[in-house]
Amino acid sequence: QLQASGGGLVQAGGSLRLSCVASGRAFSTYAVSWLRQAPGKEREFVAAISWSGGRTYYVDSVKGRFTISRDNAKNMVFLQMNSLKPEDTAVYYCAAGRTAWGTSVGYDYWGQGTLVTVSS
C-alpha cells in the first residue's frame, strides 16, 4: 500500500514537498511515479524515479521546478515542488509499478492522493 501526504494551500511561487510512504519489503524493487489530476481534467503523469533512484523522468511542464527522490531504507518517495504555479493545482497521487514509466496507467499500486492548491 502507498500513502501520499504533504499537500496543502500555497501561493504562486511557493514550495511544497510531497511524501509517499509504502508498506512492504518489495517497495525498493519498484519504480515510483507521481501523477496528478486537476478538476475536470484527466490524470497526467508528472515525474518518475527508477527503483534504484538512478534514473528520473519529468513531464516538460515541471522540469526545472520539481524534483523526485527516494529513500529505499525508509520506503519513501518525495516530490519537491518549487516555483509552484496555479496550473499545478491538482490532486497528486503516487503510484508504483514494475513496468509503467512516464505514463498515467499501468501501475500496480496507487496511493490515495493529496490535494495541492496554488493560489495566484
Side-chain angles (χ1 to χ4, degrees), residues 33-38 41-47 59-62 65-66 87-93 102-105 107 110:
S33 295
W34 285 97
L35 303 97
R36 64 187 179 187
Q37 187 166 18
K41 295 187 177 181
E42 293 186 352
R43 188 173 297 176
E44 68 166 345
F45 167 83
V46 176
V59 68
D60 285 347
S61 60
V62 307
R65 300 189 298 122
F66 291 10
E87 51 264 42
D88 294 318
T89 295
V91 177
Y92 284 71
Y93 301 87
T103 67
S104 60
V105 297
Y107 296 92
W110 288 86

Side-chain angles (χ1 to χ4, degrees), residues 45-82:
F45 167 83
V46 176
I49 189 165
S50 63
W51 66 271
S52 67
R55 187 162 63 113
T56 58
Y57 181 64
Y58 300 91
V59 68
D60 285 347
S61 60
V62 307
K63 284 181 181 177
R65 300 189 298 122
F66 291 10
T67 302
I68 190 170
S69 61
R70 69 189 297 162
D71 184 341
N72 284 341
K74 297 181 179 180
N75 272 11
M76 296 188 74
V77 172
F78 308 98
L79 186 67
Q80 178 66 44
M81 305 186 296
N82 299 327

